[in-house]
Amino acid sequence: MKGEPYLFLPGPTPVPERVARAMNRPMINHRGEEFKGILEDVIAGIKQIYRTNANLLIYPASGTGGLEAAVVNFISPGDKVLAISIGVFGDRFANIAKTFGAEVEKMDFPWGTGADPQKIKERLDQDRNHEIKAVLITQNETSTGAYNDVKSVREAMGDHPALLMVDAVSGLAAIDLRMDEWKLDVVISGSQKAFMIPPGLSFMAFSDRACQVYQSNTNAKFYWDLAEGLKYQQKGQTPFTPPISLYYGLHEALRIMAEEGLDNVIARHTAYRNLVRASVSAMGLKLLTEDRYASSAVTSVIAPPEIGANPIRKYMLDQFNIILAGGQQSLDNVVFRIGHLGYIRELDLLAVLAALEITLVHFDFPLEMGAGLKIAQKAILNMHQQ
Ligand SMILES: *Cc1c(COP(=O)(O)O)cnc(C)c1O
């Protein structure tokens, strides 16, 4: 029996039944009292996940819309921007800034690793006249499964006045992030990753320092203009018609996260990462990232070259209805990616790992069936005995 797909993508992620039911309700007036209550609740709930008291706007857009909103509100044409990239999404943030007229200096680090804060410090130390107006960075690089130590990067910036703008779309609520404590200026995230709701919403929080920069911003903007967003938010509204169903879902998802507790949500993602990495390694497969850079949201597994990553994905889809992500660009057919963020339960992990073992044996990979699964079962037992 096939049934629903097992979704192990690093977004979109599975939607809990509670969230799906919450979304299946009649439309209401988006300029009425009931919507106002929902908006206030969800803004407060998202701020808790950001660990911030800063301003926060919700946009009806996928994560990339949030990145564009950040660029047009805080970067002016001609501004010099240092864009740190460790993969596809770091490149995307840099490209958006370039598209809107920034003078972008890329700082690339090898795919599968995180950025070296010392190198960023050295570059900013050279910028004595403070020409660099913003540093762009990805918290969790979804394309490789490596994450950046955003806290250390912020510390490395020292007194340099550039804004630190963080793409936390796939990392927030999976990997620790403390916007206020770490003094992050702009943090963007999205609905379809650890927030457990369908694609279509992005969130942008911004510090007082960023608000100052906005005052003199000269980029063209209409839909993304934060002043409009804030003006309407005071009335309990959004400037334009919001995707009301997604707000229902967000409301419920934030309740689920609050019930579990944010620290527990983060700890769960960390435990899943460790479980998946140990299990896959015990099968004799190699991982793309070293432990110190390893993401709690998604794991990139290097496929045996004689098999290739895409045939493994195809077999798992055809035989088990399991959906894994492929490698992007140079990693195509080299790695497959197992997403373990959002609404993934521990026994879901056993399903994907068991199916992976069956698949490897099918392709004559030398593996004693159960070798990796056993490690995962022991890890789960440990989690329950703590
Ligand atoms: C998913 C994701 C985005 C946004 O992609 P969309 O397809 O626009 O939702 C941005 N950055 C990262 C790191 C992501 O994982």
Side-chain angles (χ1 to χ4, degrees):
M1 189 183 66
K2 258 196 154 170
E4 286 79 27
Y6 293 89
L7 196 59
F8 289 98
L9 296 178
T13 61
V15 174
E17 187 64 21
R18 265 176 71 181
V19 172
R21 282 178 198 274
M23 293 201 311
N24 192 7
R25 280 171 45 206
M27 289 301 102
I28 52 174
N29 178 10
H30 64 295
R31 309 224 179 270
E33 279 305 306
E34 189 182 351
F35 185 77
K36 180 173 190 255
I38 294 174
L39 183 64
E40 285 168 1
D41 275 3
V42 297
I43 297 270
I46 303 170
K47 283 185 184 179
Q48 280 182 9
I49 294 179
Y50 273 73
R51 302 190 202 261
T52 190
N53 293 312
N55 282 312
L56 183 139
L57 291 175
I58 304 176
Y59 290 107
S62 79
T64 306
L67 298 179
E68 182 166 318
V71 166
V72 297
N73 280 293
F74 305 112
I75 296 175
S76 294
D79 277 1
K80 215 169 166 161
V81 164
L82 183 65
I84 317 293
S85 180
I86 58 170
V88 171
F89 288 98
D91 289 354
R92 181 181 298 178
F93 208 177
N95 276 333
I96 298 170
K98 209 164 133 196
T99 302
F100 286 91
E103 198 188 306
V104 175
E105 178 179 325
K106 282 276 298 299
M107 189 181 250
D108 290 287
F109 293 89
W111 285 23
T113 72
D116 177 359
Q118 186 57 31
K119 293 241 163 68
I120 298 168
K121 181 181 177 339
E122 282 162 18
R123 179 62 192 92
L124 292 175
D125 283 348
Q126 287 167 9
D127 181 37
R128 293 214 176 77
N129 298 330
H130 296 161
E131 284 169 5
I132 296 173
K133 300 299 178 203
V135 175
L136 312 184
I137 196 162
T138 319
Q139 180 204 15
N140 178 67
E141 180 47 75
T142 321
S143 65
T144 62
Y147 80 101
N148 280 314
D149 180 352
V150 173
K151 180 171 184 264
S152 297
V153 168
R154 180 66 196 115
E155 284 164 4
M157 288 174 66
D159 293 334
H160 195 290
L163 295 180
L164 180 56
M165 299 175 51
V166 185
D167 169 355
V169 175
S170 64
L172 202 76
I175 301 170
D176 195 27
L177 182 137
R178 295 161 191 265
M179 180 165 173
D180 292 358
E181 196 182 312
W182 298 354
K183 300 189 166 59
L184 312 179
D185 292 296
V186 183
V187 180
I188 303 100
S189 64
S191 56
Q192 81 273 25
K193 312 273 165 109
F195 279 88
M196 307 184 290
I197 53 177
L201 293 177
S202 56
F203 317 126
M204 180 179 80
F206 40 100
S207 67
D208 290 342
R209 246 159 54 84
C211 280
Q212 291 287 318
V213 169
Y214 166 83
Q215 300 304 329
S216 52
N217 179 277
T218 58
N219 235 322
K221 53 200 166 291
F222 184 86
Y223 201 70
W224 309 118
D225 192 343
L226 72 81
E228 284 298 295
L230 289 179
K231 191 171 96 192
Y232 278 84
Q233 199 177 85
Q234 284 182 349
K235 297 190 278 185
Q237 296 179 18
T238 54
F240 315 108
T241 315
I244 295 170
S245 312
L246 289 173
Y247 276 74
Y248 293 152
L250 175 61
H251 205 191
E252 188 66 18
L254 288 167
R255 279 196 200 106
I256 295 176
M257 281 194 258
E259 285 162 19
E260 187 176 359
L262 182 54
D263 290 338
N264 294 329
V265 171
I266 305 275
R268 164 167 57 84
H269 283 90
T270 311
Y272 284 9
R273 169 195 68 186
N274 297 343
L275 179 161
V276 168
R277 288 173 66 85
S279 173
V280 165
S281 301
M283 292 178 203
L285 299 178
K286 299 254 178 304
L287 300 162
L288 182 69
T289 60
E290 288 172 37
D291 287 349
R292 63 186 166 139
Y293 301 122
S295 159
S296 298
V298 55
T299 296
S300 288
V301 182
I302 300 178
E306 66 278 16
I307 306 173
N310 292 341
I312 290 176
R313 289 173 56 228
K314 183 172 182 339
Y315 189 83
M316 289 180 68
L317 178 65
D318 292 347
Q319 303 301 317
F320 307 111
N321 213 5
I322 286 183
I323 303 177
L324 299 178
Q328 288 170 282
Q329 299 178 11
S330 61
L331 294 175
D332 180 32
N333 206 31
V334 176
V335 302
F336 58 89
R337 293 174 296 151
I338 304 174
H340 35 77
L341 76 169
Y343 186 57
I344 300 283
R345 295 157 306 165
E346 55 204 21
L347 297 189
D348 297 331
L349 296 176
L350 292 185
V352 69
L353 293 166
L356 178 57
E357 288 196 341
I358 296 168
T359 303
L360 290 168
V361 169
H362 163 80
F363 283 111
D364 297 324
F365 185 74
L367 162 75
E368 170 116 29
M369 231 183 300
L373 201 55
K374 185 168 68 185
I375 301 291
Q377 287 174 305
K378 282 183 184 164
I380 291 172
L381 179 61
N382 263 333
M383 277 151 60
H384 285 263
Q385 285 177 337
Q386 268 173 16

